[in-house]
């Protein structure tokens, strides 16, 4: 409902009528300009937000709760410890969103693989189940326990719903050089097998990794028998190390487990793997001068840290968020004077603006925007 009492629909009708009265060239220009990446992203994000509420999963909207130190997700196993910590602490993500990959993976699984499995393996005694929940405690070599919680991909089950064979479905750009299961996918499947083996009164020692090409829709499947040594020495040890990093509150070393991780990581600038301008930044704070934050990523960051503000660069890009959350001011390191973000310049400029108060005294002092560890935030997601 608008301020004058008109519904949004009425407003849209009036706007449509106004556009219809425009000259043909202007109307055409507006129609062309209406289709743009930013408006599409906003439309799609709002669609997902509404769909989550409709489907009874509003907890998907906004930031994720910070996991307990001992709790681990199968989908994060064996990956870069620092990246996983950034994710867990809701650090602000940079760059492109992986929503497209998630959507393609989900559609490939639900619309292609599940129907195929139903045709290929269903008999009088076997069936296909969309997923199984797992939640299990795992002892470590130190005697402590870690917890693995998540949901599997489709599983082949018996008439009672008990698992016989658990699968993990992945999409990839190409199958050409794929000669075996990728280690982190193998770890994910091992977590499922270990948990299901302990929950059901039967031995679950076999899994199936199915890779599908996003280009050709060809598939390649790998039988993955449970490897106790790989589970204990690689997967459980990784979980124990990640738990230690969480308990200590420290930033793990930047040691990616795989060569591709840095190139696709949404934290590569704050980590120091992009252009070297920033190095080893903590879990909170936006990087001054960086524009590569999408609106939805910022919305989730503010959901986790309500007292956080925008940098001047992002305020210019997202003025509506600037009104809602505020903007960090420019500050003089010499006299302490502050200046409004829109009264000085852009924090991307190669030449920092100078402090006018110091200039009046014959001194040359440059202004700066607070760096991440100087930005005051307040955690709400715990």
């Amino acid at each position: 409902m608008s301020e004058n009492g008109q519904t949004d629909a009425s407003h849209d009708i009036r706007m449509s009528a106004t556009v219809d009265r425009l000259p043909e060239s202007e109307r055409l220009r507006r129609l062309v300009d209406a289709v743009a990446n930013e408006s599409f992203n906003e439309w799609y994000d709002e669609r997902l937000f509404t769909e989550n509420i409709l489907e009874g999963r509003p907890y998907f909207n906004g930031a994720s709760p910070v996991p307990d130190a001992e709790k681990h997700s199968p989908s994060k196993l064996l990956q870069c410890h620092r990246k996983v910590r950034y994710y867990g602490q809701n650090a602000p993500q940079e760059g492109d969103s992986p929503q497209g990959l998630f959507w393609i993976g989900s559609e490939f699984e639900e619309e292609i693989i599940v129907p195929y499995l139903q045709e290929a393996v269903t008999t009088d005694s076997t069936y296909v189940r969309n997923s199984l929940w797992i939640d299990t405690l795992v002892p470590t070599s130190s005697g402590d326990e870690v917890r693995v919680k998540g949901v599997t991909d489709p599983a082949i089950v018996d008439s009672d719903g008990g698992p016989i064979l658990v699968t993990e479905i992945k999409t990839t750009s190409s199958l050409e050089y794929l000669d075996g299961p990728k280690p982190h996918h193998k770890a994910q499947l091992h977590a499922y097998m270990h948990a299901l083996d302990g929950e059901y009164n039967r031995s679950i020692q076999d899994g199936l990794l199915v890779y599908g090409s996003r280009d050709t829709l060809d598939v390649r499947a790998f039988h993955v028998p449970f490897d106790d040594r790989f589970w204990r020495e690689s997967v459980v040890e990784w979980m124990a190390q990640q738990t230690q990093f969480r308990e200590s509150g420290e930033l793990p070393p930047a040691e990616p487990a795989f060569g591709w991780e840095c190139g696709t990581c949404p934290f590569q600038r704050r980590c120091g793997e992009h252009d070297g301008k920033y190095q080893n930044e903590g879990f909170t704070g936006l990087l001054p001068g960086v524009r590569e934050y999408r609106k939805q990523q910022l919305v989730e960051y503010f959901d986790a840290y309500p007292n956080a503000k925008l940098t001047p660069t992002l305020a210019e890009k997202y003025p509506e968020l600037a009104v809602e959350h505020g903007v960090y001011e420019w500050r003089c390191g010499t006299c302490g004077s502050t200046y409004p973000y829109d009264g000085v310049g852009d924090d991307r400029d190669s030449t920092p603006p100078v402090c006018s108060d110091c200039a009046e005294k014959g001194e040359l002092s440059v202004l700066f925007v607070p760096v991440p560890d100087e930005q005051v935030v307040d955690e709400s997601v715990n």
Side-chain angles (χ1 to χ4, degrees), residues 104-160:
I104 291 172
S106 177
E107 290 295 301
F108 180 76
E109 176 186 329
E110 295 173 7
E111 301 298 327
I112 297 179
I113 293 299
V114 169
Y116 165 69
L117 291 176
Q118 289 172 333
E119 290 285 340
V121 305
T122 298
T123 67
D124 291 339
S125 59
T126 59
Y127 302 84
V128 177
R129 184 167 169 176
N130 285 338
S131 60
L132 295 164
W133 282 96
I134 67 162
D135 188 354
T136 188
L137 294 176
V138 182
T140 67
S141 58
S142 66
D144 296 325
E145 290 183 322
V146 292
R147 181 184 180 191
V148 184
K149 184 177 181 179
V151 60
T152 74
D153 279 353
I156 314 303
V157 300
D158 59 22
S159 57
D160 295 323

Side-chain angles (χ1 to χ4, degrees), residues 281-297:
E281 299 293 342
F283 306 119
T284 62
L286 298 168
L287 305 177
V290 174
R291 290 180 61 88
E292 286 76 14
Y293 292 102
R294 291 168 66 106
K295 183 177 180 180
Q296 183 59 30
Q297 293 167 336

Side-chain angles (χ1 to χ4, degrees), residues 194-237:
H194 176 85
L196 295 174
D197 184 81
E199 181 176 348
Y200 290 85
N201 188 26
R202 65 175 64 190
S203 178
I204 308 297
Q205 297 292 309
D206 296 277
L208 188 68
L209 263 169
V210 181
Y211 292 95
S213 168
R214 293 189 290 269
D215 294 331
T216 66
L217 291 187
D218 290 337
V219 300
R220 187 167 298 172
F222 297 97
H223 172 218
V224 180
F226 188 85
D227 182 338
D228 186 66
R229 183 175 180 178
F230 170 75
W231 170 249
R232 288 185 293 103
E233 296 183 2
S234 296
V235 185
V236 177
E237 180 62 23

Side-chain angles (χ1 to χ4, degrees), residues 170 234 304 339 352 364:
K170 298 294 184 183
S234 296
Y339 298 84
L364 182 62

Side-chain angles (χ1 to χ4, degrees), residues 4 12-13 17 20 28 44 46 59 78 90-91 109-110 113-114 132 152-153 156 197 268 277 279 284 314 323 349 354:
N4 62 7
D12 291 341
I13 292 172
D20 288 342
L28 180 60
Y44 187 71
E46 180 61 31
Y59 42 83
L78 292 197
N90 291 296
E109 176 186 329
E110 295 173 7
I113 293 299
V114 169
L132 295 164
T152 74
D153 279 353
I156 314 303
D197 184 81
Q268 57 180 279
K277 183 175 181 180
Q279 293 282 339
T284 62
L314 294 174
V323 172
D349 293 342
V354 299

